[in-house]
Amino acid sequence: MFSRRKKILFAGGTAALTLSAVLTAVAGTQAQADDLVTHHEFQVNCTVNHRANDDPIVFPNLPGASHEHSFVGNKTTNAATTLDSLNAPGPYATTCLNPDDLSAYWWPTMFRGSGTSQPVQQTWHQTIYYKSGILDYAAVRPFPPGLRYVVGSPTATLDQFRTSPGTVEGWECGDSTHNWDFPSNCPAGTQLNIRYQAPSCWNGRDLDTPDHKSHMAYPVNGSCPASHPNPVPMLEFKIAFPADGDVTDVRLASGRGYTWHYDFFNAWDVPTLAALVSHCINGGLQCNSRGFDLYKPDRGQVLGDNYRLPGRP
């Protein structure tokens, strides 16, 4: 991946670069960096708010039917969750920095040791990226309200996890990367991290399907396939667990590391999501949760300092 900015190196000598030469070099480097930029994204940052043996997508209205999940985002998520229930509490019913993101996000809880009494607690904001999954990032459009899907599988084998089109780096800690199961040891003070990308092409019809996957597809050669012609944001969960030392006793509620998966149920405020997608993804920016690109401050900030659209309290 290319860096967002390149350094200009000046060699010593008897002749000094003129100011105009420096400015020309900077401008040329900036243009090249913009041509090569691979970031078309904004961040969502949310803390874990509860854990439960529920999955309103896979086991709707069946409380306790699932292995344990850790839920971030909407505080009301349970086995009976619907789009209406996610929207009912109104703004600020979420653990995300964006109060108008009432979406639900969840993944299998991580445990350490025997039994289920020692969950590996996540007490800081976890990062979920909303990116372009296609080359034509200006064509990405917001998720429709109520879209939901599952990424990965609790029944996956190691090889299925390794070869999944959504796996970015597998599990990592310290200098150990691309692990398709948990590494046996993590250096003191490090943490277990996992990245996994979601499909970003929607069939344009179904908000869900019986397998919770086939209404979505991964891009092919940088474009959405004809069967799923609608590009939507590509979610990339980057989740961190505070586990170091001997981690041979670490496991997920669903099993080994290669059973990692996650669920998404969209309940964004429609204008807010549209503004972030337009400004950050379509605009080719690398935004934080306010829709601000630190490297391009001249492009402005789409949300206020309260993480809401201007004019909202």
Side-chain angles (χ1 to χ4, degrees):
M1 181 178 291
F2 296 98
S3 64
R4 289 298 305 263
R5 294 291 181 266
K6 296 182 179 180
K7 295 180 180 179
I8 302 175
L9 302 179
F10 300 94
T14 57
L17 286 173
T18 65
L19 177 60
S20 62
V22 172
L23 293 176
T24 299
V26 170
T29 299
Q30 178 64 59
Q32 186 178 26
D34 286 343
D35 289 341
L36 298 176
V37 68
T38 57
H39 300 92
H40 317 102
E41 66 184 40
F42 63 91
Q43 291 184 22
V44 168
N45 304 103
C46 315
T47 55
V48 174
N49 60 73
H50 66 281
R51 306 191 313 273
N53 289 73
D54 292 342
D55 190 325
I57 295 178
V58 179
F59 298 106
N61 298 307
L62 294 173
S66 173
H67 52 255
E68 184 174 297
H69 287 106
S70 295
F71 293 86
V72 305
N74 201 298
K75 299 176 183 178
T76 69
T77 312
N78 58 34
T81 287
T82 63
L83 178 60
D84 287 342
S85 73
L86 292 174
N87 285 325
Y92 300 99
T94 177
T95 62
C96 300
L97 292 179
N98 301 87
D100 295 300
D101 180 9
L102 297 178
S103 303
Y105 312 84
W106 63 95
W107 53 78
T109 300
M110 179 181 285
F111 296 99
R112 195 162 193 176
S114 60
T116 59
S117 60
Q118 299 182 57
V120 179
Q121 299 284 1
Q122 300 160 291
T123 58
W124 56 81
H125 281 100
Q126 299 295 323
T127 302
I128 300 168
Y129 294 98
Y130 281 60
K131 299 185 173 189
S132 174
I134 60 171
L135 294 176
D136 183 12
Y137 54 86
V140 175
R141 295 296 178 263
F143 294 119
L147 182 74
R148 50 201 181 273
Y149 55 75
V150 179
V151 181
S153 172
T155 63
T157 66
L158 186 147
D159 193 58
Q160 287 171 334
F161 181 69
R162 180 182 63 81
T163 59
S164 166
T167 299
V168 180
E169 295 177 357
W171 292 94
E172 61 181 23
C173 65
D175 295 328
S176 180
T177 62
H178 297 93
N179 297 291
W180 312 119
D181 196 0
F182 300 126
S184 59
N185 189 277
C186 289
T190 63
Q191 57 193 15
L192 275 169
N193 296 294
I194 180 68
R195 289 178 183 255
Y196 204 120
Q197 291 181 345
S200 56
C201 299
W202 175 47
N203 67 11
R205 300 184 310 272
D206 304 304
L207 298 178
D208 195 8
T209 46
D211 64 357
H212 314 297
K213 293 185 177 185
S214 59
H215 56 311
M216 303 295 297
Y218 285 94
V220 178
N221 297 323
S223 299
C224 284
S227 60
H228 295 71
N230 299 275
V232 293
M234 182 270 284
L235 297 188
E236 179 181 305
F237 278 47
K238 182 184 178 183
I239 308 304
F241 297 87
D244 61 2
D246 181 350
V247 292
T248 56
D249 61 344
V250 164
R251 61 183 177 80
L252 298 173
S254 53
R256 297 299 311 168
Y258 44 82
T259 68
W260 173 257
H261 59 285
Y262 60 85
D263 300 51
F264 168 65
F265 199 134
N266 176 45
W268 271 92
D269 171 70
V270 172
T272 303
L273 179 59
L276 286 167
V277 169
S278 176
H279 183 75
C280 300
I281 298 179
N282 302 152
L285 301 180
Q286 184 182 12
C287 294
N288 61 18
S289 291
R290 292 190 180 98
F292 177 74
D293 186 339
L294 177 66
Y295 300 102
K296 298 181 179 179
D298 58 298
R299 297 287 293 275
Q301 181 172 303
V302 67
L303 302 181
D305 289 342
N306 62 351
Y307 298 92
R308 305 196 75 194
L309 286 172
R312 295 189 178 184

